[in-house]
Amino acid sequence: MSMNSIEVKIENNVAWIALNRPEVFNSFNREMALLLQDTLDNCASDSNVRAIVLTGNGKAFCAGQDLKEVTTPELNPGFRRILEEHYNPIIQKIRNIEKPVVAAVNGVAAGAGANIALACDIVVAVESASFIQAFSKIGLVPDSAGTFFLPRLIGFQKASALMMLGDKVSAEEAVNLGMIYKVFASDSFEVEVKRVAENLAQMPTLALGLTKRLLNQSMTNSLEEQLVLESDLQIEASSSNDYNEGVTAFVEKRKPEFKGN
């Protein structure tokens, strides 16, 4: 299925979402931002989707905002609309979908593109990929929750330096910094991403979604609040069909067949 600037396919309970403006390195315009939001909503409500992969077509993952849009008066939505109607809802949807979202970074991820990737649950990258906090290069500040996630991933000092200097971070360096999960060789990237995604799609989706909720809340909860939430959500998870299947499979010494509920 093609929707102009977004391509979507669903295979083996995995929704593959590809940003599809390769001629401009998948930079965001209003159409692509709104279509991505609609696509994420559809994935959230589709019970056939148990894992989501976000990637880019062509040589880049995403170069951030399409500067042509913001420098063309008749096209420019204005920065307030771009943030409040484009990027902020995308970040919120990625974090609030109670299904695993994998960023498969197939090339450069710059500006908002880098920060959208870092908001995903698992970030993997091809060895030739790079991450750039490009905002300072044009006199802007980081957005798309970059100032929220990056310091938590790699520490305040390194995040501050990368955001102020705008250094390019290689995929290998990103792994070493703790910014992303894994890097894969070019010739095995697609196979490895598929393996990760399909593995997630066969796991207990409800429990993964509750885990995601716990991680979200851990960003702001006190220890006491987090312990209470863990107890509440563990009780919810223990009432699921997948828990019963997991325990039964363990006792019977077989591989569990989770249904995602």
Side-chain angles (χ1 to χ4, degrees), residues 25-203:
F25 301 108
N26 298 319
S27 59
F28 274 95
N29 61 5
R30 183 170 176 82
E31 178 199 43
M32 190 167 83
L34 297 180
L35 279 174
L36 179 57
Q37 291 177 45
D38 289 343
T39 302
L40 291 170
D41 285 341
N42 291 338
C43 289
S45 62
D46 187 345
S47 60
N48 189 48
V49 173
R50 292 172 58 189
I52 299 162
V53 176
L54 179 62
T55 192
N57 285 339
K59 296 180 179 180
F61 174 75
C62 176
Q65 175 62 36
D66 186 343
L67 295 181
K68 181 179 179 180
E69 183 178 66
V70 298
T71 56
T72 304
E74 62 269 23
L75 297 177
N76 185 11
F79 276 100
R80 184 168 298 279
R81 291 186 72 193
I82 287 172
L83 295 173
E84 294 181 355
E85 297 181 12
H86 299 185
Y87 297 127
N88 293 357
I90 288 170
I91 299 299
Q92 290 168 332
K93 290 176 190 296
I94 288 172
R95 293 312 313 157
N96 290 333
I97 291 174
E98 294 205 338
K99 300 175 183 182
V101 181
V102 178
V105 181
N106 57 299
V108 66
N115 292 335
I116 287 170
L118 298 180
C120 294
D121 300 299
I122 297 174
V123 187
V124 297
V126 69
E127 58 189 348
S128 58
S130 58
F131 298 81
I132 311 170
Q133 293 292 320
F135 304 93
S136 64
K137 301 290 188 179
I138 57 172
L140 293 177
V141 302
D143 56 35
S144 305
T147 58
F148 185 85
F149 288 110
L150 191 60
R152 287 166 169 79
L153 289 168
I154 68 173
F156 183 92
Q157 177 60 224
K158 288 186 174 67
S160 177
L162 292 181
M163 288 178 170
M164 291 186 177
L165 295 170
D167 290 344
K168 180 185 290 187
V169 178
S170 70
E172 192 66 42
E173 186 180 3
V175 170
N176 293 335
L177 286 171
M179 187 186 298
I180 69 173
Y181 174 52
K182 282 187 178 181
V183 59
F184 299 121
S186 299
D187 58 2
S188 63
F189 180 65
E190 291 185 10
V191 172
E192 293 290 354
V193 172
K194 184 177 181 181
R195 179 184 61 79
V196 170
E198 292 187 351
N199 183 33
L200 287 168
Q202 298 309 309
M203 294 184 72

Side-chain angles (χ1 to χ4, degrees), residues 192-246:
E192 293 290 354
V193 172
K194 184 177 181 181
R195 179 184 61 79
V196 170
E198 292 187 351
N199 183 33
L200 287 168
Q202 298 309 309
M203 294 184 72
T205 312
L206 176 64
L208 298 188
L210 296 178
T211 299
K212 186 168 180 175
R213 197 188 307 176
L214 283 167
L215 288 170
N216 285 341
Q217 291 298 114
S218 74
M219 299 288 191
T220 55
N221 271 357
S222 67
L223 171 61
E224 290 74 18
E225 290 168 333
Q226 195 69 8
L227 288 170
V228 170
L229 186 61
E230 284 178 350
S231 297
D232 291 343
L233 297 191
Q234 191 71 290
I235 292 167
E236 184 175 343
S238 68
S239 301
S240 68
N241 294 325
D242 279 343
Y243 168 72
N244 290 330
E245 167 62 12

